[in-house]
Amino acid sequence: MTNHAQRNLLHAYLDDELDLVRSMDLEDHLAECGDCANEVASYRALREGVMTISLRYEAPEELRSRLLTEIREQEKPQVEHVVVQRRVPWWSWAAVAACLLVASASFMLDLGQRRERTLMNEVVTDHVRSLMAAHLTDVPTSDQHTVKPWFTGKLDFSPEVRDFSADGFDLVGGRLEYVDGHSAAAIVYQRHKHVINVFTWPSSGSDEAPRAIAQQGFNLVEWKQAGMYYCAVSDLNRQELAEFSSMLRRQAAPSL
């Protein structure tokens, strides 16, 4: 070999990992190369020095004593802490129950109000759509005896259809609607140039008096009567819409 031997060959030679041919070649090289021979000698001296030095670490007696003390403390029986329960006065539970009741009532009221706003928005939207889409009626006629039978077979209820032309509210016709997740009837009237849509469908619960609402620039009057929900919506002024709703209520229940 004319060059220095590779370092990994030197390590392998020291660890007796070379075969006989390579080991003899390396020994010939070491006889001629002083640098490699010195490096092998340094590695051999380092290995022998490491092997003769004791690497065991003796911990100080103080550390040993402290560890033994901690072990003994861990082995001692643990003292159970008894939790003393304090009796809560009955009026405290009553106050909590009252707060929960108030919170529940407030939540239900807010939920009902939001549902009511959603329903009113939907009714107004259907009213506006009927005016814009030129689809005001499915059955265009002023004859109440034609409008009412037209809904037979199309709905599972029979809507109230009345003629108020003598009072200035002309019957225009009727159409099918889908409101609040169910089918509904829309009975259409007209007061001068103002269209009135009366939405109606079956509703559970007791009767409710008329209630006037303003929504998105339109007037609405809603009520419950004889198991039916009614909502009249129009851009007609509130007073005349209320008068029309009163006439419809009287016709739907003559005893009122």
Side-chain angles (χ1 to χ4, degrees):
M1 296 181 184
T2 57
N3 298 324
H4 293 310
Q6 294 181 1
R7 184 165 297 177
N8 59 339
L9 288 177
L10 298 179
H11 291 170
Y13 172 74
L14 287 171
D15 294 333
D16 296 327
E17 294 177 351
L18 296 180
D19 56 33
L20 180 60
V21 175
R22 289 191 177 186
S23 180
M24 292 178 65
D25 289 342
L26 185 60
E27 288 178 351
D28 291 341
H29 173 74
L30 294 176
E32 298 176 359
C33 180
D35 292 337
C36 290
N38 291 334
E39 191 169 355
V40 168
S42 297
Y43 290 153
R44 184 177 285 115
L46 176 62
R47 182 172 63 177
E48 291 176 354
V50 170
M51 294 177 63
T52 58
I53 297 175
S54 176
L55 299 179
R56 182 176 179 180
Y57 173 75
E58 294 290 340
E61 186 63 27
E62 180 183 356
L63 176 61
R64 182 174 181 275
S65 176
R66 186 166 67 248
L67 290 175
L68 290 176
T69 302
E70 291 183 1
I71 292 173
R72 295 191 190 98
E73 290 294 330
Q74 292 293 330
E75 292 177 350
K76 289 183 179 180
Q78 298 296 321
V79 179
E80 296 184 359
H81 297 279
V82 179
V83 179
V84 180
Q85 296 184 348
R86 298 178 58 188
R87 294 188 60 186
V88 180
W90 66 267
W91 50 265
S92 296
W93 292 113
V96 172
C99 291
L100 290 176
L101 183 61
V102 171
S104 177
S106 299
F107 172 77
M108 294 303 295
L109 178 61
D110 180 65
L111 185 64
Q113 291 174 344
R114 282 187 290 175
R115 183 182 182 280
E116 178 183 293
R117 288 194 297 268
T118 300
L119 175 59
M120 294 299 98
N121 286 332
E122 188 174 352
V123 167
V124 171
T125 299
D126 288 345
H127 172 74
V128 173
R129 184 170 57 242
S130 71
L131 301 177
M132 297 177 61
H135 184 204
L136 188 59
T137 59
D138 291 325
V139 50
T141 177
S142 60
D143 183 5
Q144 68 185 81
H145 301 293
T146 300
V147 176
K148 186 177 180 67
W150 181 86
F151 287 101
T152 303
K154 299 178 178 66
L155 297 172
D156 56 359
F157 63 94
S158 180
E160 286 290 337
V161 181
R162 302 293 180 178
D163 183 7
F164 300 111
S165 57
D167 300 292
F169 296 91
D170 298 324
L171 176 63
V172 177
R175 72 177 184 279
L176 292 174
E177 277 288 357
Y178 192 80
V179 185
D180 196 30
H182 50 70
S183 298
I187 314 302
V188 186
Y189 296 88
Q190 188 165 347
R191 171 73 165 176
H192 303 307
K193 294 184 179 181
H194 302 280
V195 173
I196 305 172
N197 269 302
V198 180
F199 296 90
T200 180
W201 59 82
S203 178
S204 59
S206 57
D207 291 358
E208 294 182 6
R211 189 168 66 100
I213 307 167
Q215 187 85 6
Q216 301 178 33
F218 293 90
N219 288 315
L220 300 90
V221 178
E222 65 166 0
W223 71 95
K224 287 184 180 181
Q225 182 179 350
M228 298 292 293
Y229 172 84
Y230 296 90
C231 184
V233 54
S234 176
D235 60 353
L236 188 66
N237 65 75
R238 178 176 295 188
Q239 181 178 351
E240 289 183 290
L241 187 62
E243 292 174 359
F244 168 76
S245 301
S246 296
M247 290 189 295
L248 186 57
R249 291 180 65 241
R250 286 195 296 270
Q251 290 292 330
S255 59
L256 292 178

